[in-house]
Every structure is written in C-alpha cells, then in structure tokens.
Amino acid sequence: MLAETPVSDAVDLYDRLAPRYDKLHQRWLRHAGGEAQAALEGLVRALATPTSRFLDAGCGTGNLARSLIAEGMPPNLMTLLDPSSAMLARCEDIPVPKVQGRLESLPFEDGTFDLVTCAWALETVPDPDLALTELCRVVRAGGALCLVFCADAPARGLTESLMRQALLYRGTGRFLSRSRLMQAIEDFENFEVRAIPSHGPASTLLARRSDAESQAP
C-alpha cells in the first residue's frame, strides 16, 4: 500500500473547490510544494519533444498545459484528463482533447503516450495503487512518467506543518510514501525510477520505461 491513511472519493469535493482551487493550490506551492512542482516542470520541459504524445492525468485547471503550449508544444498531441467536470470546465480555453475519467481506469490503450504527468492527483484517489498501475500501463516503451505528490517527508517548520494539517482537514488528499511508490513502479516490467531532490512534504519522481524492443537479442 502506498499510503496508510484512506481517503474517500473526493470528486464532488473538487467540483465544489474548482472556482477557488488555483488560489488554494498556489498557497500550497508557495509554502510547501514549490520545489517539487518546479522539479516536475523541469522534467517535462527536458523530456517533451514536438512529437511527444502527452497525457496530463489529473490535470486540474490546466495550468501545466497552458505553460507548455505557450512554450511551443503542439496542442494536437496533448490530452487532458480529470475526474472532475468542474475542473475540466476551467480548461475550456485550452485547445486540446479533454477527457473526464478516473486515474484508476484510464480510457486509453496500453502504451498510448510518450510522456505522462500526474501532478498532485495520485494522493487524492481512494486506490492510489490501482491508479499507479494505470499510469504505468499507458506509458509506451521508451517513454516516461513524471509524478509530483504530497509525500510523507518531514515538514521543515511551522508553516509546512500547518499546510499538511490544512490538506488533511479539508480531506482533499493524504501523504504518500515515496519509498513505497518508487518500489511499486520498479515492480512494473521495464521501469526505472529516481527521485528528484526537493525539500518539504512533497516529492517528484521520474519513471522511465525502457525500450524493450531495442534491448531484444
């Protein structure tokens, strides 16, 4: 199990939070998760190419996609997915396919995407183990999965401790074990994973899926 603390289905909660989600999330990034978010964005910019088929799973209000399109990523190769219809409604201005769907049952064929991101979403689902299985499943051979999540790392001070308590109080997520998550990814065939250094109660992981065909004798 990736987390000891269970959570209930939070889709309805995120539907209600959608109008003020960006404000709440910016507060989290400013006081607790900013380094991990910056690490994720750096990975995506380094890995994405003009021909990358890209999935942002748990896209929220679409801020990552907006940034990538502004920097030149072709929107025709990008897909946004979120279980919250209200969150997807906040992405109406982004000219890419949008799918309402759950991380635990992604509506895509195996190996569909060159690059998959999941930012601040894995910790919000009732079954993160199943969601992780699905995220790995849709990464093609030679592709990559980039994760950023609320992690069980120690808080560095009062502000980070308060941010942890606020998240748990709202019921919008929980804190996942980074070591267990890394081990779970490595248990999938042909995946290698490494943690990107950052501080605070958040973590960023890069999981690459080797190109099995190129390694065949």
Side-chain angles (χ1 to χ4, degrees):
M1 295 291 291
L2 301 180
E4 299 292 345
T5 306
V7 296
S8 57
D9 195 314
V11 175
D12 289 344
L13 177 57
Y14 276 97
D15 280 339
R16 296 193 299 272
L17 284 175
R20 56 194 180 97
Y21 174 81
D22 283 339
K23 182 177 180 180
L24 292 170
H25 189 56
Q26 284 303 314
R27 187 181 304 162
W28 165 260
L29 295 181
R30 185 166 61 251
H31 296 297
E35 285 188 28
Q37 176 71 25
L40 174 84
E41 293 178 3
L43 286 175
V44 173
R45 289 177 173 89
L47 294 169
T49 72
T51 60
S52 295
R53 293 165 295 171
F54 172 70
L55 171 67
D56 189 4
C59 65
T61 57
N63 288 328
L64 178 60
R66 288 188 189 90
S67 296
L68 294 173
I69 292 172
E71 294 170 9
M73 176 177 278
N76 61 303
L77 296 177
M78 185 180 297
T79 301
L80 303 182
L81 176 139
D82 203 276
S84 166
S85 59
M87 287 290 197
L88 286 177
R90 297 272 160 174
C91 302
E92 286 184 351
D93 61 301
I94 308 173
V96 305
K98 305 169 192 71
V99 178
Q100 185 176 359
R102 302 189 66 93
L103 268 65
E104 304 98 316
S105 54
L106 295 176
F108 309 110
E109 298 293 330
D110 295 359
T112 298
F113 298 99
D114 301 290
L115 180 59
V116 177
T117 59
C118 183
W120 313 111
L122 189 61
E123 64 269 51
T124 70
V125 301
D127 192 341
D129 297 86
L130 180 55
L132 182 63
T133 298
E134 284 289 278
L135 291 167
C136 290
R137 178 183 64 79
V138 300
V139 177
R140 71 161 179 84
L145 168 64
C146 300
L147 300 170
V148 63
F149 55 95
C150 299
D152 59 359
R156 292 178 296 175
L158 179 60
T159 301
E160 288 186 358
S161 295
L162 291 174
M163 294 303 297
R164 287 176 63 107
Q165 293 304 313
L167 184 146
L168 294 172
Y169 176 77
R170 287 197 303 269
T172 51
R174 43 33 201 315
F175 292 85
L176 303 180
S177 167
R178 183 176 69 180
S179 60
R180 292 180 186 176
L181 206 161
M182 293 180 70
Q183 183 59 57
I185 294 173
E186 289 177 348
D187 287 342
F188 288 99
E189 185 177 2
N190 298 324
F191 270 95
E192 294 183 358
V193 60
R194 67 184 180 95
I196 309 302
S198 65
H199 298 91
S203 187
T204 304
L205 299 180
L206 168 62
R208 289 182 177 271
R209 189 168 201 168
S210 64
D211 190 338
E213 291 184 2
S214 66
Q215 297 179 0

